[in-house]
Each structure stands twice: as C-alpha cells, then as structure tokens.
Amino acid sequence: RRLYCLFGSGSMHCPYAIFIAQSKNFNGGRKVGLIRAADTRMAGHSYAQCRMLRLREPLLATISSAAYKDLKLKGFAKKVEEYLNDNDMWRATYEVQRCLFPMIRVLRLSDKSACGGMSKIVHYVHKTDEAIQKSTDSLRDLKYFNEHVPQDADDVEGLEEVDDDYIDDDNIGAAAVPSELSDDDDD
C-alpha cells in the first residue's frame, strides 16, 4: 500500500511523475502504472503483486535515478526503498505469484461474461494443484518469509497434501518458469 501511495496514485506527484517517466522508458512509450491492491476484489493483492513484478525494472530505475534522490524523501519512502531493494522480497513475491497464477486465471474466467465452459475452470484448478506441488520446496525455503514473518513460516507445511490423481508424475519437480504470467487468455 505504501508502494502504491508513493508511486501509483499520484498523491505524491514528484515520485509518481518520475516513476511514470521510467515506466514509459521501459514499456515502449506506454504508461503502465501500479494497481491498487483492493481488499474488496478477489485476488486484488495478487493482481497488484503481478503488476509490481512486471514493473520491477522501472521501480528500481526510479529509486536509483538522480531526480528521485534529489527529492530527499523521508518517512515511509525510505521503507519503500528498502522493500524494493530487497532481492529476497522479489524472489518471495515471484514464487508466491507463480504458485497462485493458475487460480488467478480461473478468477479472470469468472470475470468474463462468456466463461468458456467448465472445462477451462477444471483445467486451471488442476494447474493450480500442480503449481502448488511444484512450489512446495521453494516456498518452504524462502529467506524473506523466515526473516519477516517467522510466526507464519510453518504454514506452508500443509501444502504437501495434494490429491495424487491430478498430478502428472512426469512433471513433478520440473522447473516451472511461468511464461503464463501474461495477460493473454489463449492456451
């Protein structure tokens, strides 16, 4: 939320303007901004984190720019800078989103007026089961969560319980780099 307040809403005009200029540089002249995480929208925080991952380079370029450093911001802006410079945070965010992305696709299908039938929903539920299974070890070993949320670090232990009927034995343990982290809905 602080990240969005600083770079996403325009309420702090100077940092927002610097970020939007960087975003245009990295996106072929198109303005691509952050999404506000809404508690009222299903997967609102996940949508916001996917967009944040997409805008990693413009965000890092913004906080590294001379124009941004000349602002000499204090308070929560320093915490946002520390957050963006934390490589463990980026890895943790990526791993969690990789695990959740098939379910986000299901939610996007339900947002459409013409869903395409239950077969697509069943397909993405199975993909979610596979993604969770493949991500179990990497989620368990994320340094960011162990350091920042120690009381919740053991919550990933229950992820091992997956219905074996839905898992393709040939793909267990395969490195899944999600090329599906895109906005298209085609299979």
Side-chain angles (χ1 to χ4, degrees), residues 6-38:
L6 188 61
F7 297 119
S9 66
S11 63
M12 297 184 70
H13 177 71
C14 287
Y16 173 75
I18 295 168
F19 167 69
I20 290 301
Q22 291 292 341
S23 176
K24 285 181 179 180
N25 289 339
F26 281 88
N27 292 296
R30 289 183 50 210
K31 175 183 150 181
V32 179
L34 295 168
I35 296 174
R36 183 174 155 256

mmCIF file of all heavy atoms in Angstrom, residues 6-38:
data_model
loop_
_atom_site.group_PDB
_atom_site.id
_atom_site.type_symbol
_atom_site.label_atom_id
_atom_site.label_comp_id
_atom_site.label_asym_id
_atom_site.label_seq_id
_atom_site.Cartn_x
_atom_site.Cartn_y
_atom_site.Cartn_z
ATOM 1 N N LEU A 6 3.206 5.912 -2.872
ATOM 2 C CA LEU A 6 4.370 6.671 -3.329
ATOM 3 C C LEU A 6 4.440 6.774 -4.845
ATOM 4 O O LEU A 6 4.693 7.839 -5.389
ATOM 5 C CB LEU A 6 5.652 6.026 -2.783
ATOM 6 C CG LEU A 6 6.959 6.773 -2.993
ATOM 7 C CD1 LEU A 6 6.927 8.135 -2.305
ATOM 8 C CD2 LEU A 6 8.124 5.947 -2.454
ATOM 9 N N PHE A 7 4.190 5.658 -5.548
ATOM 10 C CA PHE A 7 4.415 5.629 -6.994
ATOM 11 C C PHE A 7 3.166 5.382 -7.838
ATOM 12 O O PHE A 7 3.234 5.476 -9.058
ATOM 13 C CB PHE A 7 5.433 4.534 -7.350
ATOM 14 C CG PHE A 7 6.780 4.760 -6.772
ATOM 15 C CD1 PHE A 7 7.329 3.841 -5.895
ATOM 16 C CD2 PHE A 7 7.517 5.883 -7.105
ATOM 17 C CE1 PHE A 7 8.589 4.034 -5.365
ATOM 18 C CE2 PHE A 7 8.777 6.089 -6.576
ATOM 19 C CZ PHE A 7 9.318 5.169 -5.706
ATOM 20 N N GLY A 8 2.047 5.056 -7.233
ATOM 21 C CA GLY A 8 0.923 4.621 -8.035
ATOM 22 C C GLY A 8 -0.262 5.549 -8.131
ATOM 23 O O GLY A 8 -0.988 5.530 -9.114
ATOM 24 N N SER A 9 -0.469 6.374 -7.141
ATOM 25 C CA SER A 9 -1.725 7.115 -7.110
ATOM 26 C C SER A 9 -1.608 8.553 -7.590
ATOM 27 O O SER A 9 -2.606 9.181 -7.899
ATOM 28 C CB SER A 9 -2.279 7.125 -5.683
ATOM 29 O OG SER A 9 -1.419 7.866 -4.837
ATOM 30 N N GLY A 10 -0.420 9.087 -7.604
ATOM 31 C CA GLY A 10 -0.265 10.486 -7.964
ATOM 32 C C GLY A 10 -0.473 11.417 -6.793
ATOM 33 O O GLY A 10 -0.376 12.635 -6.937
ATOM 34 N N SER A 11 -0.776 10.861 -5.604
ATOM 35 C CA SER A 11 -0.972 11.726 -4.438
ATOM 36 C C SER A 11 0.343 12.388 -4.023
ATOM 37 O O SER A 11 0.336 13.465 -3.446
ATOM 38 C CB SER A 11 -1.565 10.938 -3.277
ATOM 39 O OG SER A 11 -0.681 9.930 -2.849
ATOM 40 N N MET A 12 1.453 11.744 -4.323
ATOM 41 C CA MET A 12 2.771 12.357 -4.148
ATOM 42 C C MET A 12 3.313 12.566 -5.560
ATOM 43 O O MET A 12 3.909 11.675 -6.146
ATOM 44 C CB MET A 12 3.677 11.445 -3.314
ATOM 45 C CG MET A 12 3.173 11.232 -1.910
ATOM 46 S SD MET A 12 4.298 10.260 -0.902
ATOM 47 C CE MET A 12 5.645 11.398 -0.690
ATOM 48 N N HIS A 13 3.061 13.742 -6.098
ATOM 49 C CA HIS A 13 3.246 13.980 -7.517
ATOM 50 C C HIS A 13 4.677 13.738 -8.012
ATOM 51 O O HIS A 13 4.870 13.085 -9.042
ATOM 52 C CB HIS A 13 2.818 15.398 -7.892
ATOM 53 C CG HIS A 13 3.069 15.697 -9.339
ATOM 54 N ND1 HIS A 13 2.306 15.115 -10.331
ATOM 55 C CD2 HIS A 13 3.998 16.455 -9.954
ATOM 56 C CE1 HIS A 13 2.757 15.513 -11.502
ATOM 57 N NE2 HIS A 13 3.780 16.335 -11.305
ATOM 58 N N CYS A 14 5.688 14.231 -7.317
ATOM 59 C CA CYS A 14 7.066 14.114 -7.829
ATOM 60 C C CYS A 14 7.522 12.664 -7.983
ATOM 61 O O CYS A 14 7.982 12.283 -9.062
ATOM 62 C CB CYS A 14 8.023 14.911 -6.952
ATOM 63 S SG CYS A 14 7.854 16.690 -7.173
ATOM 64 N N PRO A 15 7.409 11.828 -6.948
ATOM 65 C CA PRO A 15 7.819 10.431 -7.143
ATOM 66 C C PRO A 15 6.987 9.731 -8.217
ATOM 67 O O PRO A 15 7.511 8.947 -9.010
ATOM 68 C CB PRO A 15 7.595 9.776 -5.780
ATOM 69 C CG PRO A 15 7.508 10.882 -4.818
ATOM 70 C CD PRO A 15 7.038 12.079 -5.555
ATOM 71 N N TYR A 16 5.694 10.029 -8.255
ATOM 72 C CA TYR A 16 4.813 9.435 -9.259
ATOM 73 C C TYR A 16 5.253 9.830 -10.671
ATOM 74 O O TYR A 16 5.341 8.978 -11.566
ATOM 75 C CB TYR A 16 3.373 9.876 -9.003
ATOM 76 C CG TYR A 16 2.399 9.460 -10.075
ATOM 77 C CD1 TYR A 16 1.968 8.144 -10.174
ATOM 78 C CD2 TYR A 16 1.909 10.382 -10.992
ATOM 79 C CE1 TYR A 16 1.072 7.758 -11.148
ATOM 80 C CE2 TYR A 16 1.013 10.007 -11.974
ATOM 81 C CZ TYR A 16 0.593 8.699 -12.043
ATOM 82 O OH TYR A 16 -0.290 8.315 -13.018
ATOM 83 N N ALA A 17 5.551 11.096 -10.872
ATOM 84 C CA ALA A 17 5.953 11.577 -12.197
ATOM 85 C C ALA A 17 7.271 10.939 -12.643
ATOM 86 O O ALA A 17 7.429 10.558 -13.811
ATOM 87 C CB ALA A 17 6.072 13.099 -12.192
ATOM 88 N N ILE A 18 8.210 10.800 -11.712
ATOM 89 C CA ILE A 18 9.489 10.168 -12.046
ATOM 90 C C ILE A 18 9.269 8.701 -12.406
ATOM 91 O O ILE A 18 9.826 8.188 -13.378
ATOM 92 C CB ILE A 18 10.489 10.316 -10.877
ATOM 93 C CG1 ILE A 18 10.836 11.796 -10.660
ATOM 94 C CG2 ILE A 18 11.752 9.506 -11.127
ATOM 95 C CD1 ILE A 18 11.572 12.069 -9.361
ATOM 96 N N PHE A 19 8.419 8.012 -11.631
ATOM 97 C CA PHE A 19 8.128 6.608 -11.912
ATOM 98 C C PHE A 19 7.440 6.442 -13.263
ATOM 99 O O PHE A 19 7.798 5.555 -14.045
ATOM 100 C CB PHE A 19 7.269 5.991 -10.802
ATOM 101 C CG PHE A 19 6.699 4.665 -11.181
ATOM 102 C CD1 PHE A 19 7.524 3.555 -11.322
ATOM 103 C CD2 PHE A 19 5.348 4.515 -11.436
ATOM 104 C CE1 PHE A 19 7.009 2.320 -11.693
ATOM 105 C CE2 PHE A 19 4.824 3.285 -11.806
ATOM 106 C CZ PHE A 19 5.657 2.195 -11.937
ATOM 107 N N ILE A 20 6.458 7.267 -13.564
ATOM 108 C CA ILE A 20 5.739 7.149 -14.834
ATOM 109 C C ILE A 20 6.688 7.392 -16.009
ATOM 110 O O ILE A 20 6.615 6.699 -17.034
ATOM 111 C CB ILE A 20 4.520 8.101 -14.872
ATOM 112 C CG1 ILE A 20 3.447 7.598 -13.897
ATOM 113 C CG2 ILE A 20 3.946 8.236 -16.275
ATOM 114 C CD1 ILE A 20 2.926 6.194 -14.182
ATOM 115 N N ALA A 21 7.620 8.334 -15.867
ATOM 116 C CA ALA A 21 8.612 8.561 -16.926
ATOM 117 C C ALA A 21 9.467 7.311 -17.124
ATOM 118 O O ALA A 21 9.735 6.904 -18.269
ATOM 119 C CB ALA A 21 9.480 9.770 -16.586
ATOM 120 N N GLN A 22 9.887 6.687 -16.031
ATOM 121 C CA GLN A 22 10.672 5.450 -16.130
ATOM 122 C C GLN A 22 9.831 4.324 -16.729
ATOM 123 O O GLN A 22 10.315 3.535 -17.541
ATOM 124 C CB GLN A 22 11.202 5.027 -14.758
ATOM 125 C CG GLN A 22 12.255 5.917 -14.183
ATOM 126 C CD GLN A 22 13.554 5.858 -14.965
ATOM 127 O OE1 GLN A 22 13.823 4.930 -15.722
ATOM 128 N NE2 GLN A 22 14.369 6.891 -14.793
ATOM 129 N N SER A 23 8.576 4.241 -16.333
ATOM 130 C CA SER A 23 7.685 3.208 -16.858
ATOM 131 C C SER A 23 7.531 3.353 -18.370
ATOM 132 O O SER A 23 7.554 2.357 -19.100
ATOM 133 C CB SER A 23 6.320 3.304 -16.171
ATOM 134 O OG SER A 23 5.421 2.385 -16.716
ATOM 135 N N LYS A 24 7.394 4.571 -18.847
ATOM 136 C CA LYS A 24 7.295 4.798 -20.292
ATOM 137 C C LYS A 24 8.576 4.374 -21.000
ATOM 138 O O LYS A 24 8.533 3.812 -22.092
ATOM 139 C CB LYS A 24 6.990 6.266 -20.584
ATOM 140 C CG LYS A 24 5.560 6.653 -20.287
ATOM 141 C CD LYS A 24 5.333 8.122 -20.622
ATOM 142 C CE LYS A 24 3.907 8.527 -20.345
ATOM 143 N NZ LYS A 24 3.678 9.950 -20.663
ATOM 144 N N ASN A 25 9.722 4.630 -20.373
ATOM 145 C CA ASN A 25 11.012 4.230 -20.968
ATOM 146 C C ASN A 25 11.102 2.716 -21.129
ATOM 147 O O ASN A 25 11.646 2.221 -22.111
ATOM 148 C CB ASN A 25 12.187 4.710 -20.116
ATOM 149 C CG ASN A 25 12.379 6.208 -20.178
ATOM 150 O OD1 ASN A 25 11.925 6.866 -21.104
ATOM 151 N ND2 ASN A 25 13.051 6.740 -19.177
ATOM 152 N N PHE A 26 10.593 1.974 -20.159
ATOM 153 C CA PHE A 26 10.703 0.516 -20.178
ATOM 154 C C PHE A 26 9.567 -0.166 -20.929
ATOM 155 O O PHE A 26 9.618 -1.364 -21.156
ATOM 156 C CB PHE A 26 10.748 -0.036 -18.744
ATOM 157 C CG PHE A 26 12.083 0.097 -18.086
ATOM 158 C CD1 PHE A 26 12.418 1.242 -17.382
ATOM 159 C CD2 PHE A 26 13.015 -0.916 -18.169
ATOM 160 C CE1 PHE A 26 13.654 1.374 -16.771
ATOM 161 C CE2 PHE A 26 14.251 -0.805 -17.562
ATOM 162 C CZ PHE A 26 14.576 0.353 -16.860
ATOM 163 N N ASN A 27 8.522 0.566 -21.295
ATOM 164 C CA ASN A 27 7.349 -0.040 -21.928
ATOM 165 C C ASN A 27 7.028 0.585 -23.281
ATOM 166 O O ASN A 27 5.859 0.716 -23.646
ATOM 167 C CB ASN A 27 6.135 0.061 -20.996
ATOM 168 C CG ASN A 27 6.296 -0.796 -19.772
ATOM 169 O OD1 ASN A 27 6.361 -2.013 -19.870
ATOM 170 N ND2 ASN A 27 6.403 -0.164 -18.619
ATOM 171 N N GLY A 28 8.054 0.950 -24.010
ATOM 172 C CA GLY A 28 7.863 1.438 -25.375
ATOM 173 C C GLY A 28 7.031 2.701 -25.469
ATOM 174 O O GLY A 28 6.263 2.851 -26.412
ATOM 175 N N GLY A 29 7.159 3.594 -24.510
ATOM 176 C CA GLY A 29 6.421 4.851 -24.536
ATOM 177 C C GLY A 29 5.021 4.771 -23.961
ATOM 178 O O GLY A 29 4.333 5.787 -23.876
ATOM 179 N N ARG A 30 4.589 3.574 -23.535
ATOM 180 C CA ARG A 30 3.258 3.417 -22.939
ATOM 181 C C ARG A 30 3.329 3.578 -21.432
ATOM 182 O O ARG A 30 4.229 3.063 -20.780
ATOM 183 C CB ARG A 30 2.693 2.041 -23.257
ATOM 184 C CG ARG A 30 2.305 1.894 -24.710
ATOM 185 C CD ARG A 30 1.668 0.558 -25.009
ATOM 186 N NE ARG A 30 0.604 0.252 -24.065
ATOM 187 C CZ ARG A 30 0.274 -0.986 -23.712
ATOM 188 N NH1 ARG A 30 0.934 -2.007 -24.206
ATOM 189 N NH2 ARG A 30 -0.693 -1.205 -22.869
ATOM 190 N N LYS A 31 2.362 4.264 -20.883
ATOM 191 C CA LYS A 31 2.281 4.456 -19.438
ATOM 192 C C LYS A 31 1.667 3.205 -18.817
ATOM 193 O O LYS A 31 0.512 2.871 -19.067
ATOM 194 C CB LYS A 31 1.415 5.676 -19.147
ATOM 195 C CG LYS A 31 1.141 5.924 -17.698
ATOM 196 C CD LYS A 31 0.223 7.120 -17.549
ATOM 197 C CE LYS A 31 -0.628 6.960 -16.322
ATOM 198 N NZ LYS A 31 -1.555 8.061 -16.141
ATOM 199 N N VAL A 32 2.456 2.490 -18.045
ATOM 200 C CA VAL A 32 1.980 1.313 -17.320
ATOM 201 C C VAL A 32 2.230 1.587 -15.843
ATOM 202 O O VAL A 32 3.367 1.738 -15.420
ATOM 203 C CB VAL A 32 2.715 0.019 -17.763
ATOM 204 C CG1 VAL A 32 2.218 -1.175 -16.968
ATOM 205 C CG2 VAL A 32 2.548 -0.203 -19.251
ATOM 206 N N GLY A 33 1.164 1.670 -15.081
ATOM 207 C CA GLY A 33 1.285 2.011 -13.666
ATOM 208 C C GLY A 33 0.969 0.843 -12.759
ATOM 209 O O GLY A 33 0.602 -0.252 -13.196
ATOM 210 N N LEU A 34 1.109 1.097 -11.489
ATOM 211 C CA LEU A 34 0.813 0.089 -10.475
ATOM 212 C C LEU A 34 -0.693 -0.057 -10.308
ATOM 213 O O LEU A 34 -1.454 0.855 -10.635
ATOM 214 C CB LEU A 34 1.439 0.503 -9.136
ATOM 215 C CG LEU A 34 2.955 0.547 -9.111
ATOM 216 C CD1 LEU A 34 3.445 1.250 -7.850
ATOM 217 C CD2 LEU A 34 3.520 -0.854 -9.181
ATOM 218 N N ILE A 35 -1.108 -1.189 -9.797
ATOM 219 C CA ILE A 35 -2.511 -1.441 -9.498
ATOM 220 C C ILE A 35 -2.689 -1.338 -7.994
ATOM 221 O O ILE A 35 -1.888 -1.874 -7.219
ATOM 222 C CB ILE A 35 -2.935 -2.844 -9.981
ATOM 223 C CG1 ILE A 35 -2.824 -2.928 -11.499
ATOM 224 C CG2 ILE A 35 -4.348 -3.167 -9.517
ATOM 225 C CD1 ILE A 35 -3.096 -4.321 -12.041
ATOM 226 N N ARG A 36 -3.741 -0.680 -7.574
ATOM 227 C CA ARG A 36 -4.031 -0.556 -6.152
ATOM 228 C C ARG A 36 -4.618 -1.878 -5.653
ATOM 229 O O ARG A 36 -5.585 -2.393 -6.201
ATOM 230 C CB ARG A 36 -5.033 0.569 -5.907
ATOM 231 C CG ARG A 36 -5.316 0.791 -4.449
ATOM 232 C CD ARG A 36 -6.208 2.032 -4.268
ATOM 233 N NE ARG A 36 -6.927 1.888 -3.043
ATOM 234 C CZ ARG A 36 -8.208 1.562 -2.944
ATOM 235 N NH1 ARG A 36 -8.931 1.394 -4.024
ATOM 236 N NH2 ARG A 36 -8.788 1.420 -1.781
ATOM 237 N N ALA A 37 -4.016 -2.434 -4.622
ATOM 238 C CA ALA A 37 -4.499 -3.684 -4.036
ATOM 239 C C ALA A 37 -5.778 -3.399 -3.268
ATOM 240 O O ALA A 37 -5.792 -2.590 -2.349
ATOM 241 C CB ALA A 37 -3.447 -4.273 -3.109
ATOM 242 N N ALA A 38 -6.851 -4.043 -3.677
ATOM 243 C CA ALA A 38 -8.143 -3.821 -3.043
ATOM 244 C C ALA A 38 -8.555 -5.058 -2.263
ATOM 245 O O ALA A 38 -8.564 -6.164 -2.813
ATOM 246 C CB ALA A 38 -9.192 -3.495 -4.102
#
